[in-house]
Amino acid sequence: MKPDKPAVWFPAVRTHTGTDVFTQRLVTDLKAAGLRAEITWLPARAEFAPWSVRPPSAPPWANIVHVNSWLHSKFWPIGLPCVVTAHLCVHDPALAAYKSLPQSLYHRFWVRPIERRAFSQARKLIAVSAYTARMVNQVFGCEAEVVHHGLTPANRAGLAPRQRPHRPFRILYVGSWSRRKGVELLGPIMRQLGAGFELWIVSAQRKRPDRDALPINSRWLGARQTKAEMETVYQAVDALIFPTRLEGFGLVALEAQASGLPVVASDNSSLPEVVLHDETGFLCETNRAEAFAARLQQLAAPGSVWPELSKQAIEHARLRFSTARMVQAHRRIYQQVLGPMVASQDAASGLQSRQSG
């Protein structure tokens, strides 16, 4: 049978991060578009101890394998063309100041060789943002095609823009509790804002930060795993704060905008691709807590631009980051990868026919 229709297998390490969300959503959306796609989840140790995990066999129906760039080549099946997605270039010099020594060593001596091999062997390389594509090119000398994340209709279903924010004004932080995410800025920002503001925190961090790190106007919600749970949170708050130092894309910022939340984010890495300054939120100078506080005060003020930014955020997410656009781009890439295979099979079939004749 000619491999003229993509059938995509995703062997993926379960990391409980945004890469899991990406893989799950892409597979769901590809299936909805009529393609066959399935995930085989590998345990977390497959990332740092691949020798301890038995490689799964590729399903017989698959004609393409799609992996994230950190997946060890041990888990790549032989004989299938591979598409690789780069989510975040951890070798970016901008990240160096926020790494521990063990992280630096791990990224340099373990992750970097794995990615170098992945990029060299990939039939097609995808980056989730133009910024990530530039960094991959700068570090590895590879060209990547940019395909932004898309959102499924459920992320926007039933939303009606509110006319005014809550009192007190509710600010949401979603993400890991790490220096790269700028979490140590949250305490100073909230102390500057004071009464009239609340910080809601969604994080998979098992241990809450010390009370000294966060003021009394902070509410720890822990992890929220399902899409429905996150949509409920997004609709209960007024703005997203995103003081990150580096993002490969910024999926949380996109999800928040799709739910009508203006985003106050750092003006770095991929964020200007996702958040439109003065239109769907505000971009602040990295590490400047006072700039974040000032913009949040601006949003919360009576008669502010909050309703207009909320409305524009929903429209921006709908028009620029649709699921249909993301699926169409992936389908086109898969078809490009299969093209040489189809041509090769056609040539072999023709030769066989001539010989039998």
Side-chain angles (χ1 to χ4, degrees), residues 37-173:
E38 291 182 11
I39 308 170
T40 297
W41 289 112
L42 303 171
R45 71 179 188 276
E47 177 186 310
F48 53 85
W51 56 85
S52 69
V53 178
R54 183 176 180 178
S57 299
W61 50 262
N63 54 30
I64 290 178
V65 60
H66 190 159
V67 304
N68 296 323
S69 64
W70 285 30
L71 186 71
H72 195 278
S73 59
K74 172 182 178 176
F75 302 108
W76 292 32
I78 297 174
L80 287 182
C82 191
V83 174
V84 174
T85 292
H87 292 272
L88 171 69
C89 185
V90 295
H91 320 293
D92 190 331
L95 187 57
Y98 306 106
K99 294 181 186 180
S100 66
L101 179 59
Q103 284 176 320
S104 296
L105 296 174
Y106 182 67
H107 292 161
R108 181 177 179 182
F109 294 107
W110 182 253
V111 174
R112 190 164 180 153
I114 288 173
E115 288 196 299
R116 182 180 293 111
R117 184 169 184 178
F119 297 155
S120 67
Q121 294 184 352
R123 190 71 62 86
K124 194 74 175 181
L125 175 57
I126 299 172
V128 297
S129 68
Y131 180 83
T132 296
R134 288 195 301 272
M135 291 310 306
V136 166
N137 181 261
Q138 180 178 316
V139 175
F140 295 96
C142 302
E143 297 291 336
E145 181 167 347
V146 177
V147 180
H148 286 134
H149 287 291
L151 295 179
T152 59
N155 289 93
R156 301 184 297 273
L159 290 176
R162 288 184 279 123
Q163 295 305 306
R164 61 184 65 85
H166 296 91
R167 294 288 182 266
F169 190 87
R170 298 172 182 173
I171 304 163
L172 177 66
Y173 171 80

